Amino acid sequence: MPHVESAGLRERKKQRTRQAIFAAALRLFAERGYDETTIADIAAAADVSPRTFFAYFPSKEDVIFAEIDDRLAEVQQRLARRASGETPLETIRQSVVEVMQALVTEQGEHGPVQVRLVLERPALQARALQRMHEAQQEVQQRIRELCPGLGEIEAVAIAGMAVGAMQAVVTHCRQGGLDPGTTRAALDRALAIVESGLRSVPALNEPIP
């Protein structure tokens, strides 16, 4: 038991350090500019060494996408924790709801900066497109594991619909500087639209044994 608790404490500490680096980076990008901010600046603002920075992020570009990577990992974990008797659609919905909650309660103040940087910089746009493609592939794989009877095209379409809708709405809300309540309402509406389409797929509505 002590070993388990110790491992849990280490993991929480690592997550706090990762979030501190992310928050410091976005704050400095907003205050000084992206090009003017160095990795040494970010490390100092987060109260870590440059070596520690590189233990969490390979480059300055990767910090921009830390939140996306974290949210994708959460989706994968939730899809893997499918409950007996739960339909695949219910599992998908719950995983999206949990991610939506995180999107509107964590790091929200950095959202407009994050979106602006990606939209203004071709290199970051390319990286964002690659991240989106990887996210859809990962979700597609998890959905097929969750629902083996689902066809390949159906899985591709479902992953694209879910990931694309959430990404588009989050970008829209952050670009407009909308408050957390308005953003959550927008995400709820987007989820309802996605669910409406997914109800037409029979395999998603059959309870998991």
Side-chain angles (χ1 to χ4, degrees), residues 89 161 189-201 205:
L89 181 56
M161 185 187 304
R189 178 59 183 145
L191 178 58
I193 293 171
V194 171
E195 276 193 291
S196 177
L198 297 187
R199 289 193 191 98
S200 66
V201 183
N205 296 280

Side-chain angles (χ1 to χ4, degrees), residues 14-160:
K14 287 172 61 177
Q15 187 59 31
R16 285 196 299 270
T17 300
R18 177 180 170 85
Q19 290 181 352
I21 295 171
F22 172 73
L26 269 292
R27 185 177 69 253
L28 291 177
F29 294 158
E31 295 172 354
R32 304 181 183 180
Y34 181 78
D35 290 329
E36 291 74 19
T37 300
T38 67
I39 288 175
D41 292 334
I42 297 170
D47 197 25
V48 300
S49 68
R51 181 177 179 179
T52 298
F53 174 95
F54 286 114
Y56 288 86
F57 300 103
S59 70
K60 191 167 69 172
E61 284 186 349
D62 288 289
V63 181
I64 298 289
F65 300 101
E67 183 189 32
I68 296 173
D69 295 339
D70 290 346
R71 299 294 84 81
L72 175 59
E74 289 170 5
V75 169
Q76 294 171 340
Q77 291 169 8
R78 180 60 183 86
L79 290 177
R81 296 197 313 270
R82 51 190 183 272
S84 178
E86 190 175 60
T87 68
L89 181 56
E90 289 169 338
T91 302
I92 293 170
R93 185 185 196 286
Q94 189 57 38
S95 68
V96 173
V97 167
E98 291 178 6
V99 169
M100 283 165 43
Q101 184 64 25
L103 284 169
V104 298
T105 58
E106 298 177 10
Q107 314 295 350
E109 68 272 24
H110 306 299
V113 179
Q114 187 182 45
V115 169
R116 176 173 56 78
L117 287 172
V118 171
L119 294 179
E120 289 178 353
R121 297 181 164 275
L124 292 179
Q125 288 179 23
R127 183 69 68 89
L129 182 61
Q130 180 63 30
R131 282 291 207 286
M132 279 290 294
H133 176 67
E134 292 171 355
Q136 291 184 11
Q137 285 191 316
E138 291 286 349
V139 171
Q140 173 190 332
Q141 179 180 342
R142 296 297 180 186
I143 289 174
R144 295 201 74 182
E145 292 172 357
L146 180 69
C147 190
L150 198 64
E152 181 178 2
I153 297 303
E154 286 82 358
V156 170
I158 291 165

